[in-house]
Amino acid sequence: MAVVKTTPTMVSIPNHFCPGCGHGILNRLIAEVIQEKGYEKKTILTLGVGCSCNMNGSWNGDKIQTAHGRAASTATGVKVARPDLLSIAYQGDGDAYVIGLAETLNAAYRSEPITVFVINNNNFAMTGGQMSWTTMPGQVTTTSAHGRDTSLTGMPIRVPEIAATFPDVAYVARGSVHSAKEINRLKGYVRNAIEAQLNGEGYALVEVLCQCPTNWGMSVEKSIQWMEKEVVPYYELGELKGRRK
Ligand SMILES: Cc1ncc(C[n+]2csc(CCOP(=O)(O)OP(=O)(O)O)c2C)c(N)n1
Ligand code: SF4
């Protein structure tokens, strides 16, 4: 019998992201896992400021638009007020790792029982493609016109590697949406991060490498090739901290 795969009820088609953007893939994976768990009516998403704001128009579930960088703190508050709900923060790298770095690390350090997804597209996308702490060495952005000079700015930050060192953190992984194989693997990371919260294991973080063809100034095909060649070798994929079985 043919298997018919339907779109999860929590995502709308079309979405509000640019053509070829990877955000929509992560949206769908999260929605699929929430639906598998039967949590469509028992989930609150706290959205960071950035292209994640587009989900205000395409995520068919309860959500809170937070101030820039504060999604993890808001998700913590949601969980304190309603421990019965699934509390998920959805942020960009600029939101979670630059303006909201303190909030991200404090939530992780305390092992707040929330699930955090961070789209790492190596730039501040929504505001027109400025350099972020995740921008690759030599990468041209609107604020690094000659390419990121790491002798001035330091090397790109790897927050999951930091969070994974905190003893109480339950789960940390880095996935990517650049190939079918990695999307399949990412689904497992998304499931683990959500199950960690549902089982009361503590804080979970999944970073997702994501193409941004619009601000990278590349075709989708070229973006995927650039990710494979430049981004993935620096931002290694896999589980950085597995769940305690
Ligand atoms: C306090 C504050 N500072 C700056 C901004 C401007 N701002 C809006 S979105 C954004 C960048 C978001 O980048 P990121 O979190 O990486 O998400 P992306 O758009 O790349 O998905 C910035 C700097 C703001 N809205 N509020
Ligand atoms: S600007 Fe980049 S990250 Fe934002 S929706 Fe467009 S492609 Fe996606």
Side-chain angles (χ1 to χ4, degrees):
M1 201 175 80
V3 176
V4 180
K5 208 165 181 197
T6 54
T7 307
T9 55
M10 300 190 91
V11 290
S12 307
I13 294 178
N15 62 37
H16 297 259
F17 303 111
C18 304
C21 176
H23 263 283
I25 299 171
L26 179 61
N27 280 203
R28 177 166 179 142
L29 296 181
I30 296 170
E32 283 180 357
V33 174
I34 291 172
Q35 192 159 309
E36 281 167 26
K37 302 290 176 195
Y39 264 69
E40 297 100 308
K41 303 280 181 212
K42 291 187 288 181
T43 298
I44 298 188
L45 221 61
T46 52
L47 298 173
V49 170
C51 289
S52 54
C53 295
N54 290 317
M55 292 166 70
N56 283 301
S58 63
W59 181 263
N60 303 321
D62 290 325
K63 52 198 174 283
I64 300 172
Q65 179 59 64
T66 68
H68 201 12
R70 316 302 178 228
S73 304
T74 311
T76 299
V78 166
K79 195 68 182 176
V80 169
R82 291 291 305 269
D84 54 314
L85 299 182
L86 183 59
S87 178
I88 297 178
Y90 185 109
Q91 307 171 257
D93 53 271
D95 192 80
Y97 299 165
V98 186
I99 192 165
L101 182 65
E103 284 78 1
T104 298
L105 292 184
N106 277 300
Y109 181 70
R110 294 192 304 264
S111 195
E112 295 294 349
I114 60 172
T115 305
V116 179
F117 295 107
V118 178
I119 283 275
N120 177 359
N121 55 19
N122 314 94
N123 78 110
F124 291 109
M126 191 206 189
T127 38
Q130 292 82 13
M131 191 181 84
S132 169
W133 289 358
T134 59
T135 295
M136 297 306 296
Q139 185 180 341
V140 172
T141 69
T142 50
T143 52
S144 57
H146 301 292
R148 180 177 184 172
D149 180 353
T150 54
S151 71
L152 297 174
T153 66
M155 289 293 282
I157 195 167
R158 296 180 178 119
V159 173
E161 278 79 350
I162 301 171
T165 67
F166 297 157
D168 296 324
V169 159
Y171 183 74
V172 183
R174 180 182 291 112
S176 177
V177 296
H178 76 274
S179 69
K181 183 176 140 210
E182 291 305 335
I183 292 168
N184 274 334
R185 198 173 283 165
L186 175 59
K187 173 95 180 263
Y189 303 158
V190 170
R191 189 180 289 113
N192 269 327
I194 287 176
E195 281 179 357
Q197 183 178 161
L198 295 178
N199 293 346
E201 295 164 28
Y203 176 92
L205 169 67
V206 179
E207 176 180 302
V208 180
L209 304 183
C210 174
Q211 70 273 18
C212 174
T214 302
N215 285 305
W216 293 357
M218 297 178 195
S219 66
V220 178
E221 192 186 7
K222 190 90 199 306
S223 302
I224 304 270
Q225 288 164 359
W226 187 76
M227 282 172 83
E228 277 181 331
K229 188 163 169 283
E230 302 289 339
V231 187
V232 172
Y234 185 84
Y235 283 111
E236 282 180 32
L237 304 177
E239 292 185 318
L240 290 112
K241 184 162 190 182
R243 290 167 63 201
R244 293 176 280 267
K245 298 292 175 198

